[in-house]
Amino acid sequence: MFIARVKGHIVATVKDASIHGRKLLIVEPLKVDYTDGGGGVFGITNRAIVALDIIGAGEGQLVLVAQGSSARLAEGMNKTPTDAVIIGIIDEANVAGKPVQ
């Protein structure tokens, strides 16, 4: 799993039947700055991953993403051709005792 921020969405009218009706979101994996001055702030990676949203995440939210073969272990994903699935919305995160946004 990794932490990401939802950056946008994708509309695809022609797609595999197994993902019909599912929302496709663009997520950016985040890195945590563990240095003394960083205070656990999430930094950007300038990467974009398309993930199936099975929980109703929205743009700007921090989310948990399962990737690879683990993504297909999420509920209802066992026969879905996906490499990334949003499996949680993050309410709060702390690094070294400090809240991060």
Side-chain angles (χ1 to χ4, degrees), residues 1-5 28-30 32 42 62-65 90 93:
M1 275 189 292
F2 61 89
I3 298 170
R5 185 170 306 278
E28 178 181 22
L30 300 177
V32 178
F42 287 127
L62 288 177
V63 294
L64 291 173
V65 179
I90 298 172

Side-chain angles (χ1 to χ4, degrees), residues 33 64 98:
D33 182 356
L64 291 173
K98 297 178 182 176

Side-chain angles (χ1 to χ4, degrees), residues 25-101:
L25 295 178
I26 301 167
V27 298
E28 178 181 22
L30 300 177
K31 62 182 178 181
V32 178
D33 182 356
Y34 293 104
T35 63
D36 291 335
V41 175
F42 287 127
I44 60 172
T45 59
N46 292 320
R47 293 179 52 219
I49 294 175
V50 177
L52 282 172
D53 178 26
I54 62 172
I55 59 168
E59 194 166 333
Q61 288 187 302
L62 288 177
V63 294
L64 291 173
V65 179
Q67 192 172 31
S69 61
S70 296
R72 288 181 296 283
L73 295 176
E75 186 70 32
M77 295 287 107
N78 61 339
K79 294 186 180 187
T80 304
T82 185
D83 184 54
V85 175
I86 297 171
I87 59 167
I89 298 172
I90 298 172
D91 295 319
E92 179 181 326
N94 289 285
V95 174
K98 297 178 182 176
V100 291
Q101 294 282 328

